[in-house]
Amino acid sequence: MLSLLGGIFLGWSLGANDASNVFGSAVAARMVKFWTAAILASAFVLLGALLEGQAGIETLKGLTPLNLEQAVVSSVAAAVTVTIMTIFSLPVSTSQAVVGAILGIGLLNQNINTPGLGKVVACWMGTPVGGMIISIMIYRVLAFFYNRLNINLFQADNLLRLSLIGAGSYGAYALGANNVANVTAVFVGAGELTLFLAVLLGGLSIDLGILTFSRRVMETVGRRLVRLDPFSALVVLLAEAITVHIYTIIGVPVSTSQAVIGAVLGVGIVKGIRTVEKRTLLNILFGWFLTPTIAALIALSIYFAIQLRYVPTG
Amino acid sequence: MPRLFFKKQHQVEALIYEYLEYLETSRKHFAEAINACLETGVCEDFDFRTRLTHKFESKADDVREKIKELMYGKALLPESRGDIMGLLEAMDIVPRVFELILQMIKTQKLIIPDLIASDIKELLDVSFENCELMIKQVKTLFGRAKGIRALVSTIDFNESRCDHIERGIITKIFDSDLDPFQKLQLKEMVVNMGEISDQTDRISKRVNIISMKRHV
């Protein structure tokens, strides 16, 4: 159990941070009470993890063979990377930190599944782009029907509210299905957990983060999205959820934050306004290289550190 | 949409219609008060109608406060909350102008001279038409939102007409040989009467923007 602590911490921090991507705007705008959002998010994260979490685990455990010690090191390294980058307010993706840490150990073992890695990296790059394309399509389709609905202001309001809750729940499902691999995949690779136990434990640790520490993140980070009108916020949420779900089916854990940024960019394109600053896009590019590199270096450092033995001389 | 889930929204909706009723009642009493004033000057009936105008303006105010409380109780999406509160605050100016005019007539013992009486009646008739259209437009906004733009044009046209009548009345006042002090008093009253249609025009444009904003 002790060996799983790094993974559980990673799951906890993932839940605490990424729940804001699905329910942040609704909670920050007081459209949904925090506890309603937290309970819905927890339930759907667990459901997503249990029903569709296996594919991502297969991909990550296939990147390089790990023994239990290496699995623990890579999991702790990813957790440390996420913590350090969060403390320094640097853009961070748990998925990229986990893959970076696994790669660090893979380099040491001189055994990296290059095609598998290529697939993962391609999906990272495709995440914001996918978010953008899907949000443009969703905006156009939904707007076509929404503008033709014969409903009054109050009914439109209620419809948007219910849709935001529905889309948030779907987003939580996609988050659980996609990101559970980040939490426990390395332990499946090391033979420490079965697939079912991995998705269950991963889902529960993400839930722990949502239920214990996501409130402040939802209320502060969520405000960034509140600047969008409710319809655009709904489009962003749906686009993010669909994008992440697509990558879940492909079997690659991706960054929900980057899917959100892509979706916000897409809404901006449709409306002809600038919704995302250049700096945010540069941060994504920066994160693609920086996060895995730092995680790999930390994993290598930890691994070397635990190999050091005191050898008395003379 | 299931009523059970959106109790507060339904309460807000019902209160808005109640607010509009009080606004309309306040306008009717104001019209009666002015008619009494035109026919007999400040009299008992005028005082009675003034009190009723105030009573319904107060009731409308209370309803507005209730709506505000519900809004702060997280009913509706933030954007809709802002739109509705802004609209109610803008509408609230209209009954306040009614009261202001009646209080001017009462406290300053204003007598509307015959030479402008018919023009005043015309100015107020057009302004009242605008009030009715404005209420209809707000109801349309909270109904199926069709036909708002057509009402904007009519209200805008009426507002221009009121401006024209107002200028004519002020010219007549200053061309007359009334006491200069009385001229200034009457001018102030006429300007306030003109404010009714100006405000309905502002509200109408606001309603149009709210309606357009809902188009995505």
Side-chain angles (χ1 to χ4, degrees), chain A:
Chain A
M1 186 65 190
L2 210 63
S3 57
L4 301 173
L5 276 181
I8 292 172
F9 174 72
L10 203 58
W12 174 83
S13 92
L14 205 151
N17 286 302
D18 286 15
S20 67
N21 288 336
V22 289
F23 273 113
S25 53
V27 170
R30 311 265 185 259
M31 289 181 246
V32 183
K33 284 180 191 157
F34 167 74
W35 280 110
T36 311
I39 289 166
L40 278 174
S42 309
F44 280 95
V45 159
L46 190 60
L47 193 69
L50 289 171
L51 294 180
E52 289 191 76
Q54 292 88 343
I57 289 179
E58 294 291 348
T59 304
L60 287 194
K61 84 175 168 97
L63 284 180
T64 189
L66 300 169
N67 59 36
L68 180 60
E69 188 182 49
Q70 290 170 335
V72 173
V73 167
S74 62
S75 155
V76 171
V80 170
T81 307
V82 171
T83 309
I84 291 175
M85 291 186 76
T86 307
I87 289 170
F88 288 101
S89 300
L90 290 167
V92 63
S93 149
T94 311
S95 312
Q96 287 162 6
V98 168
V99 171
I102 294 173
L103 286 182
I105 302 293
L107 281 173
L108 196 76
N109 293 344
Q110 293 179 323
N111 186 356
I112 293 174
N113 172 2
T114 320
L117 178 65
K119 178 180 157 185
V120 169
V121 173
C123 289
W124 286 354
M125 293 177 179
T127 306
V129 179
M132 184 186 76
I133 294 168
I134 291 171
S135 84
I136 293 172
M137 291 190 319
I138 291 180
Y139 197 104
R140 298 231 185 268
V141 173
L142 282 189
F144 177 84
F145 291 108
Y146 182 78
N147 287 334
R148 279 160 183 77
L149 284 176
N150 191 22
I151 52 175
N152 68 25
L153 187 140
F154 292 99
Q155 289 166 325
D157 218 84
N158 293 344
L159 181 68
L160 282 173
R161 236 177 190 210
L162 280 178
S163 306
L164 278 165
I165 293 172
S169 302
Y170 175 45
Y173 175 89
L175 173 71
N178 187 280
N179 275 214
V180 71
N182 293 329
V183 185
T184 45
V186 287
F187 300 106
V188 179
E192 179 75 358
L193 290 174
T194 61
L195 257 180
F196 175 74
L197 269 180
V199 291
L200 181 67
L201 189 71
L204 288 174
S205 55
I206 297 174
D207 281 358
L208 188 69
I210 295 173
L211 295 169
T212 58
F213 217 74
S214 67
R215 185 174 206 148
R216 197 182 290 176
V217 189
M218 274 199 205
E219 283 170 357
T220 52
V221 177
R223 277 195 198 112
R224 289 183 207 160
L225 282 179
V226 174
R227 285 191 211 127
L228 294 173
D229 61 276
F231 182 83
S232 301
L234 173 67
V235 170
V236 167
L237 196 46
L238 269 177
E240 179 238 338
I242 292 172
T243 308
V244 173
H245 197 182
I246 288 171
Y247 288 115
T248 304
I249 294 163
I250 295 171
V252 176
V254 291
S255 162
T256 50
S257 309
Q258 293 181 6
V260 167
I261 292 166
V264 172
L265 193 68
V267 166
I269 290 169
V270 177
K271 297 177 91 171
I273 52 169
R274 201 166 128 186
T275 46
V276 178
E277 305 222 343
K278 256 189 202 158
R279 194 193 158 100
T280 312
L281 296 175
L282 285 174
N283 275 346
I284 293 182
L285 276 174
F286 192 56
W288 282 341
F289 300 103
L290 193 71
T291 311
T293 310
I294 290 177
L297 288 174
I298 291 175
L300 286 172
S301 309
I302 295 173
Y303 195 72
F304 281 126
I306 59 170
Q307 302 304 318
L308 292 175
R309 297 281 182 273
Y310 173 65
V311 182
T313 52

Side-chain angles (χ1 to χ4, degrees), chain B residues 28-38 46 49-50 53 102:
Chain B
K28 278 180 185 158
H29 290 301
F30 171 73
E32 294 289 334
I34 291 288
N35 279 339
C37 172
L38 285 170
F46 174 84
R49 295 291 174 187
T50 301
T53 307
L102 295 180

Side-chain angles (χ1 to χ4, degrees), chain B residues 22 45 66 87 115 120 134 144 157 190 210:
Chain B
Y22 286 141
D45 192 34
K66 272 191 211 166
L87 181 63
L115 78 136
I120 293 277
M134 174 199 80
R144 297 289 189 226
F157 175 79
V190 172
I210 296 172

Side-chain angles (χ1 to χ4, degrees), chain B residues 3 20 56 84 105 135 149 164 185 189 201 204 206:
Chain B
R3 286 198 163 248
L20 293 174
F56 285 97
I84 293 174
I105 294 172
I135 289 171
R149 201 172 273 190
H164 179 75
Q185 281 180 309
M189 183 194 72
D201 187 46
S204 153
R206 188 185 271 262

